[in-house]
Amino acid sequence: MKIAVEGCCHGELDKIYETIGYLEKKEGVKVDLLLCCGDFQAVRNEGDMKCMAVPAKYRTMQTFYKYYSGEKKAPVLTIFIGGNHEASNHLQELPYGGWVAPNIYYLGYAGIVRYKGIRIGGLSGIFKSRDYRRGHHEFPPYNPDTLRSVYHIRNIEVFKLKQIQMPIDIFMSHDWPRGIYHYGSTGELLRKKKFLRQEVESNTLGSPAAEELLSHIQPSYWFSAHLHVKFAAVMQHPPKATAAPRVTKFLSLDKCLPYREFLQIVDVPERPGSSEGLEYDPEWLAILKATNSLQRTTPHPWNPPENNGLHERWDFRPSEAAMMKVVEDLSGDLAIPDNFSRTVPAYDPNKPQPHVTPSCHANPQTTELCATFGLTDLYAYAGQGGGDLGRIQGSTGGEEDDDEDGHSVGSADEPSEYPTDTSGLSSSFNPDEITIEDEWEEEEGEGEGEVQGNSKAAVKGDQLPAAPVGEAHTPSRMVLPAPKSDTSPPTLMSHLMNLPQRCEDDDEDEDASSAVRILKRSSGEAEAPDSKSTTPRIKRRNQVIYTAAEDDESED
């Protein structure tokens, strides 16, 4: 099975699918799955565009609406997470994930699914410490603050993911796990992105929440985007108990622009006996059921329960019985139903409606999922003025006390999970800290240098940067090793999940010469007459939104 991984999408679905089609034809391969690492921009109409935090010049319809309306259908199954430039009112309809268009699946605030036996997880949004402990309280119409806070990661989602016990093959986040840059070619990264030096040297670049999840989940592969640069790393984790140490291969990719490294193919062996389609993950659904009462839709800070004598329950890891109950709830059929439905009219280029207001609708997919498993539709609940589910249903979490005015006065007994987080103290120019109407600029001349120096490399394929861990090298084509087991999970669930306990990393001897090439899109600029480059020329259909400095400037 071949999986295409893409960095920041920015609504360029036509161009991404076009590029995959070219690659399939040129290489004689068939891509089974596309993973997009955020900034997907599932904009259905003009109202959705008003719910997207981007500078005014990037507020362009792009091409997703064609797939939403049915004018086009995604040629390859696509799974994506949210970033910090999204049609937030649309994605909030699907807090637990769902179809945003036929063959295009969103993982939700956090989620895990299975495809041909491969477990794929993800965490949407970016980390911001001031909102990390709040509930999902945002609801349209957004104000300037909630327009941004709506895409900030919350600790409840991280808490859910930390209940995972079985191995994850692939995990996605939009921003990088903090510290991952120390496990790859840091010098090369700083050559490409000089303005990141202070964050790297002070270890404040990236998400401390993702860093914690990387340490806990230890997936075989972790894919990210956000910083608009290709970067690879190999991280060897400390061994857990008697198990062999795990290795995670990290890859971040650029955004879809000419001559940028925005797409790479990953070769993943299918697991024998696996179903063909996209499936629910029993362990994840059991976690959602167990933690439903912990969810909140208020902006007041909250800490997840801990084993400190203050909570009735702090361990929400699901039992085998709980996972079997999920299978029973689904009548034994784990296949995710093709139940996409349009909840708002799609954009019509022949009848533009620039003054349409953002829509707020419950999504039938979420309604059905919540009814099946007893979950709460957070979007609908917030829209009804709902507050703390825990206080209504009997919470085991740690709420903070409020003063007479409703302001949080803090909880001395339960400090924040990241009391040493210093990401807000950095004085260097971090793209994570911009305001909506500002945009950050990459190093001047950087994009032009890439075009001039790498146009032929785009065809031949680039090797991923060498990683310092044990002098290991990651080949251009990354192949997920065949499953091996350190210890066997419970027999019944092993058969149900068709998963190993942990996978050993045994692909270091793979012949890199067979690597699938990294393809970089090229714009329509004229090529030198004597050039022998065979880089495909793909016409830009939305040239009006790209200026001459498109390789030097981008949104956050």
Side-chain angles (χ1 to χ4, degrees), residues 184-212:
S185 181
T186 310
E188 180 70 9
L189 171 65
L190 296 180
R191 184 191 68 78
K192 295 177 179 178
K193 303 287 183 181
K194 298 180 177 63
F195 59 86
L196 296 178
R197 180 173 296 278
Q198 181 168 338
E199 274 81 18
V200 169
E201 292 178 348
S202 61
N203 201 36
T204 56
L205 176 65
S207 166
E211 177 186 33
E212 183 177 359

Side-chain angles (χ1 to χ4, degrees), residues 265-533:
I265 302 297
V266 180
D267 231 342
V268 182
E270 300 173 24
R271 292 203 166 91
S274 301
S275 300
E276 286 298 311
L278 195 61
E279 293 184 311
Y280 289 120
D281 185 84
E283 184 181 24
W284 179 246
L285 290 180
I287 290 170
L288 291 182
K289 291 179 65 174
T291 58
N292 185 64
S293 65
L294 301 182
Q295 301 191 106
R296 309 167 71 252
T297 57
T298 70
H300 306 303
W302 172 87
N303 286 319
E306 300 179 57
N307 184 11
N308 56 7
L310 299 178
H311 307 107
E312 296 176 5
R313 182 181 180 185
W314 56 88
D315 187 349
F316 289 81
R317 292 175 294 179
S319 64
E320 181 179 336
M323 288 185 270
M324 290 305 302
K325 181 61 170 65
V326 164
V327 178
E328 181 183 324
D329 291 340
L330 292 169
S331 302
D333 184 7
L334 294 175
I336 297 177
D338 291 325
N339 56 353
F340 165 74
S341 62
R342 285 180 285 276
T343 54
V344 301
Y347 168 71
D348 184 350
N350 297 317
K351 299 178 181 178
Q353 302 181 51
H355 304 296
V356 67
T357 58
S359 64
C360 312
H361 295 282
N363 194 298
Q365 296 178 71
T366 301
T367 302
E368 181 180 340
L369 187 73
C370 290
T372 302
F373 297 106
L375 305 177
T376 301
D377 185 340
L378 296 177
Y379 188 55
Y381 192 71
Q384 296 167 1
D388 189 345
L389 295 177
R391 289 177 179 171
I392 296 173
Q393 302 176 14
S395 173
T396 56
E399 298 87 9
E400 295 204 355
D401 297 325
D402 297 338
D403 62 17
E404 294 178 348
D405 299 323
H407 300 300
S408 172
V409 295
S411 172
D413 295 328
E414 299 188 69
S416 170
E417 290 93 326
Y418 305 110
T420 59
D421 173 40
T422 57
S423 59
L425 303 180
S426 173
S427 60
S428 63
F429 194 36
N430 189 338
D432 216 12
E433 304 293 331
I434 67 169
T435 59
I436 290 178
E437 297 304 328
D438 293 333
E439 57 259 17
W440 57 280
E441 294 189 4
E442 301 173 4
E443 291 299 315
E444 187 172 356
E446 169 190 36
E448 297 173 0
E450 290 179 0
V451 171
Q452 295 170 359
N454 294 337
S455 60
K456 293 185 179 179
V459 177
K460 295 182 178 179
D462 299 329
Q463 296 296 319
L464 299 187
V469 181
E471 299 301 321
H473 296 270
T474 306
S476 177
R477 171 200 265 173
M478 299 194 295
V479 180
L480 192 68
K484 295 182 181 179
S485 177
D486 295 329
T487 58
S488 299
T491 304
L492 186 59
M493 285 311 297
S494 177
H495 173 72
L496 174 68
M497 300 287 284
N498 191 23
L499 287 173
Q501 182 67 13
R502 283 292 179 189
C503 302
E504 296 296 331
D505 190 59
D506 59 3
D507 66 346
E508 294 302 331
D509 296 329
E510 180 190 3
D511 182 8
S513 65
S514 64
V516 174
R517 299 165 182 137
I518 301 165
L519 195 65
K520 300 185 228 175
R521 289 189 58 258
S522 62
S523 62
E525 298 92 353
E527 196 172 7
D530 57 344
S531 173
K532 297 181 180 180
S533 172

Side-chain angles (χ1 to χ4, degrees), residues 189-253:
L189 171 65
L190 296 180
R191 184 191 68 78
K192 295 177 179 178
K193 303 287 183 181
K194 298 180 177 63
F195 59 86
L196 296 178
R197 180 173 296 278
Q198 181 168 338
E199 274 81 18
V200 169
E201 292 178 348
S202 61
N203 201 36
T204 56
L205 176 65
S207 166
E211 177 186 33
E212 183 177 359
L213 286 176
L214 175 59
S215 175
H216 174 78
I217 297 176
Q218 299 184 4
S220 297
Y221 296 94
W222 187 297
F223 302 129
S224 296
H226 191 47
L227 295 182
H228 299 166
V229 63
K230 179 190 170 187
F231 178 77
V234 178
M235 180 179 184
Q236 181 169 318
H237 301 276
K240 289 185 176 181
T242 58
R246 294 291 305 144
V247 173
T248 295
K249 294 178 180 178
F250 173 83
L251 179 66
S252 179
L253 292 168

